[in-house]
Amino acid sequence: METEPEPRANGTPPGGGPADTETGLAVRGLVRRYARDVTVGPISFTVAEGEFFSLLGPSGCGKTTTLRCIAGFEPVDEGIIELAGRRIEKVPPHKREIGLVFQTPMLFPHLTVSDNVAFGLSVHGVPRREAARRAAVMLALVGLSELGQRRPDQLSGGQQQRAALARSLVLEPPLLLLDEPFSSLDLKLRVQMREELRKLQRRLQKTTIFVTHDQTEALALSHRIAVLSGGRIEQIGTPREIYEQPASRFVADFIGNANLLEAEVLGWRDGIADITTESGLRLQACAAAAPTARRVTALVRPELVRIGNAAASVANTFTAEVTEVVYLGDEAQYRLRLGVRAELLLVRKLTGGSDTLAHASVVNVGIDPGDVVILSR
Amino acid sequence: MLLAFLGIPLGNIGVLSFFTSSSARLWSPVLTTANYREIADAYFLDLIGRTLTIGALATVICAALGYPLAYYLARCSRAALAVALFLLIMPLMVSAVVEAFGWIAILGREGILNTALASLGVPFRIDVLYSQWAVLVALVQLLLPVMTLPLMSAIEDIPVRLEEVAWNLGASPLIVFRRILLPLSLPGLVSGGLLCFTVAISVVVTPALLGGRLGRMLGNEIYDQALSAYDWPFASSLAMVLVLIVFAAIAVIVGTSRRRQSRRGRA
């Protein structure tokens, strides 16, 4: 899986420095209050022009609310939203010129696919003939050129969603909002649509905010990701930063598999912290600065745990017993018991046919201090 | 079964309308077209014209008032819906006679409306009772639920997201209404309108109590011909005219919406 999309061909990679607020989107201190003390925000982030930015989080984390505030369907109780340097939080939705694609395609059932795509153009006063021509170009771009005269219910789910995307893109919006656009599709189609969207985004360089609860989608597509929880942003970073250097326990747990070990800091010297977990493991962990808290959470990704010969050369070595084996075809997941109480999850890619560890076998386990991330609790 | 209940009396009236009236036996079985020729008189044509005008106006006003109401009902919370539906349906449970007397109390020369106007110092009175306007007002009140309920269920079937999509694509609320809501809720509007119009042109009680001489409608004439003049053949021919108008209205509206649909299908 490619986790780092290539930067824009021209200029600085999006998400590098501070976003160029003259052309991109800036959300500052956005707050939306619902009845019964449910509040989203304050949320602040910027999206550079041409950047693919994801809002990732579990359901109810506020990501869709944030998107609806930007589109104008939810009133903003506090804060500002700037698009290309223009304040838009009080502009009515039909004057914001922001594209939006919902979870379900929501094509107008009484219009043909082509008329659906041309709808926005005709509302903006583009002559019928010209609107139809531009709709046809856009339909070709999403691979539906043959289906323009069909009615929406004659299209498959994936085709409908592509038509919905074309309907938004034909207006050439400065900002495109995607609200879990693939979640109504089955898994195989979802993966295919994800690839198509990625190619389209590369080609159009469209500033995009993508809302999803699917971490794989977010990692595969985004220049940067904001992880949300409980109405607040937990972390903003590139897919690699989010995965390898999570800022909080929540982010570490939400993205990918994680061994999260509650631990206590014993000492710190020369970039190495000495910690002991509640389950009784002594570990050395790389830390640029001394941890500020005594009680921390240590993160070890299951695929970074070493076994066998590779385990011998690292600072933290243990003997472990395999207590559970889960075979997943391309990889295997093992549960290891270290000592009396400590448990560790291990994931191994299966390259040959016979390299799975046997149940109840005893193995050498190693953890490189560089693979341990110390999170404050 | 349904066809029999509808067809047998209707056929009976149809046959009756070609009989000759007889003062001794209500009718004599001598075939004639005299009853229909009699309708082609200025008085009766005027009566039919007024009936159609009142029916059409009541339908249009009901649609104009009913659409926003139906939209609200289709989009409001469940709790609000329960209260609003109760308020809307309650008048249907009250007899048209009782409602008509209510309107007499409101619209009369010394009624609530004029008393209120006088106490506010308004120098004129609204004198609509015993005219077609009083009938129209009462009919709108009577028929509003009949228009609103089918319209409400049609709007309920349109997802809110669909409106949001159109809005997002640059359509102002008015354009969203004209290009998305209206075409998609047209079946509800058509069935509500047909029900409304059909009931409106065949009412008897409302114009009898509120219409006076000016607001006389076809239903009153049929009633009087049958029960006061005892001219059953002529009453039957008038009834047949009413039935034909209703059928024609249904045929025209269903025909146009069919043609619209097939045109959309081809497009």
Side-chain angles (χ1 to χ4, degrees), chain A residues 108 114-138 166-173, chain B residues 166 169-171 179:
Chain A
F108 306 127
S114 170
D115 285 347
N116 260 281
V117 178
F119 179 86
L121 293 169
S122 90
V123 163
H124 282 87
V126 176
R128 213 184 142 68
R129 198 172 277 269
E130 168 71 4
R133 193 190 60 78
R134 279 159 70 179
V137 170
M138 195 44 75
R167 180 175 60 180
S168 280
L169 286 176
V170 78
L171 293 173
E172 294 174 13
Chain B
L169 291 169
R179 296 188 52 176

Side-chain angles (χ1 to χ4, degrees), chain B residues 230-250:
Chain B
Y230 287 108
D231 191 344
W232 281 31
F234 186 56
S236 299
S237 66
L238 285 173
M240 285 311 287
V241 169
L242 191 60
V243 169
L244 288 177
I245 291 172
V246 170
F247 280 178
I250 293 174

Side-chain angles (χ1 to χ4, degrees), chain B residues 159-176:
Chain B
V160 186
R161 289 270 188 277
L162 216 52
E163 290 175 54
E164 288 181 345
V165 165
W167 205 9
N168 174 263
L169 291 169
S172 63
L174 196 69
I175 295 177
V176 174

Side-chain angles (χ1 to χ4, degrees), chain A residues 34 104 107 181 219:
Chain A
Y34 292 99
T104 47
L107 297 176
L219 291 173

Side-chain angles (χ1 to χ4, degrees), chain B residues 202-216:
Chain B
S202 50
V203 282
V204 175
V205 171
T206 307
L209 292 176
L210 298 171
R213 204 172 45 78
L214 292 170
R216 209 172 154 74

